[in-house]
Amino acid sequence: MLNQEKSNQLFERAQGFIPGGVNSPVRAFRAVGGKPLFMQKAKGAYLYDEDGNSYIDMINSWGPMILGHANEKVQQAITEALPYSLSFGAPTAREIDMAELITSMVPSIEKVRMVNSGTEATMSAIRLARGFTGRDKIIKLEGCYHGHGDSFLIAAGSGALTMGTPDSPGVTRGTAQDTLIAPYNNLQAIEELVVTNNGKIAALILEPVVGNMGCIAPKPGYLEGLRKICDREGIVLIFDEVMTGFRLARGGAQERFGVQADLTTLGKIIGGGMPVGAYGGRRDIMEYISPAGPVYQAGTLSGNPIAMAAGLAMLRHLNDHPELYQQLESISNRIVNDLREVLGQLGLRYTINQVGSMYSLFFTESEVYDYDTAKTCDTALFGRYFRKMLEQGVYLAPSQFETLFVSMILGEEEISRLKEASLSSLQAVLNERPS
Ligand SMILES: *Cc1c(COP(=O)(O)O)cnc(C)c1O
């Protein structure tokens, strides 16, 4: 058993002052059972908790730590920026460097606006698409996550094409009615929505590779099909690349799959670990943003100098080392192949989805390509596996419906430790299983 005495004490204290004891729900470990671990520090491939346990980190802050924790270049950039003050509320040269670099890395982005989180990026992109088209409705796909903006917190419902109903109390019926829902990887469902809402749809937003119901790849032709429908109908196609941006390629999923978005939302890696988001895209659409155009969007700390310093150091490194993506992919392939070998050895039925350095092990025999197929997973089994992996010193995402994020810093030692941990964890889980 893991010694987590200090974490437990901190969790106890946290619950007195913070709702559920955490500042973001998944961190509470509710989906996997047990209590959360409080982290003290991290370096390279390893997380260290308050009780002194260490873990190979397979979340990497949900993506940003793609180079490993406490990367020297990023830390150095922050250290250099610090003496110049933390914030001005006035423009700085670094923001232009950032914007130029983003537009050079992601060709569909001609202009870009910096914000402070992925949520802010998606909320702003939707408002912009509505302002630009003069239409109210948006299409969101079941199981995709776009942050916690009201328009996106819409339940999967009992099937495609149904009018959205709020998933969270506090989202008004009016807001929910403007969000249309369709299953992922299903072009026909989009065609039907377009017919029944003719001329009313401002935008279609999706994760071009889904990370938020576990990792799910677009089927061949799917993204191309969406692009065609959006072109035909004058719908703004928004790729939410908060997770995939700068991870699946320098230019994100759109580079990898060769399909361009009208607007792209970014987050996670873009701040190198600092709270940063961005949205950008076609010049004619972006010119609708205030003060260039009429759609209002602002931010006191947007383009914050310290955050920009960290983000720039991160993006420059990725931009200057395109070979990193190949390396990252081969590390990921090895980890996934090892996992397949272990699962095969144990005779476990499973599905693994992998796209580049994102992957998920699903405890189901079914192919997983949308929300309904993701729901076939044995989440209780996942929870037990998660706990065993922790005991073996591996920190996975605390839910079946999350992707894992491989970092560049995983070396031979970590790769073989991962394989050993998977084997003994899965073996233990199988032995416990009531037959
Ligand atoms: C994480 C995430 C968001 C939300 O970003 P925050 O910075 O947490 O607000 C939005 N979209 C996708 C695809 C994400 O993975």
Side-chain angles (χ1 to χ4, degrees), residues 70-86 94 274 305-311 313:
N71 174 270
E72 274 98 34
K73 276 191 185 163
V74 178
Q75 307 272 105
Q76 183 65 30
I78 293 174
T79 309
E80 281 167 19
L82 268 180
Y84 292 82
S85 184
L86 300 186
R94 246 190 234 113
M274 297 291 281
I306 308 299
M308 291 301 99

Side-chain angles (χ1 to χ4, degrees), residues 24 62 116-122 144-148 206-209 211-212 240-244 265-268 275-277 402 405:
S24 198
W62 304 92
N116 305 291
S117 69
T119 294
E120 242 190 282
T122 55
C144 281
Y145 178 70
H146 305 295
H148 63 84
L206 80 155
E207 299 176 68
V209 170
N212 285 296
D240 181 355
E241 298 229 39
V242 169
M243 203 179 260
T244 53
T265 53
L266 297 164
K268 300 195 167 107
V276 180
E402 300 286 355
F405 302 89

Side-chain angles (χ1 to χ4, degrees), residues 19-35:
V22 292
N23 280 315
S24 198
V26 239
R27 294 181 197 168
F29 279 19
R30 292 208 178 171
V32 287
K35 291 179 187 168

Side-chain angles (χ1 to χ4, degrees), residues 42-48 57 60 65 67-71 407 409-410:
K43 179 69 191 161
Y46 293 91
L47 285 170
Y48 299 86
D57 188 5
N60 287 294
M65 299 302 161
L67 304 177
H69 284 277
N71 174 270
S407 85
I409 205 89
L410 295 177

Side-chain angles (χ1 to χ4, degrees), residues 8-229:
N8 289 348
Q9 283 166 7
L10 289 167
F11 190 46
E12 197 60 40
R13 209 179 118 211
Q15 282 172 301
F17 306 100
I18 303 172
V22 292
N23 280 315
S24 198
V26 239
R27 294 181 197 168
F29 279 19
R30 292 208 178 171
V32 287
K35 291 179 187 168
L37 300 172
F38 281 65
M39 295 303 164
Q40 188 190 54
K41 61 177 181 180
K43 179 69 191 161
Y46 293 91
L47 285 170
Y48 299 86
D49 71 15
E50 291 279 359
D51 289 282
N53 304 303
S54 68
Y55 309 88
I56 297 175
D57 188 5
M58 297 305 285
I59 310 183
N60 287 294
S61 188
W62 304 92
M65 299 302 161
I66 189 169
L67 304 177
H69 284 277
N71 174 270
E72 274 98 34
K73 276 191 185 163
V74 178
Q75 307 272 105
Q76 183 65 30
I78 293 174
T79 309
E80 281 167 19
L82 268 180
Y84 292 82
S85 184
L86 300 186
S87 180
F88 310 113
T92 59
R94 246 190 234 113
E95 293 163 80
I96 320 171
D97 294 342
M98 188 68 159
E100 264 187 338
L101 185 56
I102 294 168
T103 56
S104 77
M105 291 173 83
V106 188
S108 73
I109 299 183
E110 295 176 311
K111 287 204 167 181
V112 61
R113 171 61 64 83
M114 303 308 301
V115 292
N116 305 291
S117 69
T119 294
E120 242 190 282
T122 55
M123 282 167 45
S124 308
I126 286 293
R127 184 186 307 133
L128 172 57
R130 285 175 166 149
F132 179 75
T133 57
R135 303 170 179 178
D136 286 345
K137 293 189 186 293
I138 63 166
I139 299 177
K140 177 207 169 280
L141 305 182
E142 272 180 314
C144 281
Y145 178 70
H146 305 295
H148 63 84
D150 284 1
S151 302
F152 306 119
L153 293 181
I154 308 301
S158 58
L161 316 178
T162 47
M163 202 61 102
T165 49
D167 191 25
S168 164
V171 176
T172 66
R173 185 175 293 273
T175 298
Q177 277 173 353
D178 282 333
T179 299
L180 307 166
I181 302 291
Y184 192 77
N185 267 329
N186 184 333
L187 283 175
Q188 187 53 37
I190 304 293
E191 291 285 13
E192 287 167 27
L193 280 181
V194 163
V195 170
T196 48
N197 298 274
N198 188 18
K200 296 189 184 135
I201 301 169
L204 190 166
I205 185 167
L206 80 155
E207 299 176 68
V209 170
V210 189
N212 285 296
M213 45 182 154
C215 178
I216 296 181
K219 288 184 176 171
Y222 180 61
L223 297 178
E224 291 83 348
L226 294 178
R227 181 68 274 175
K228 265 196 203 124
I229 295 172

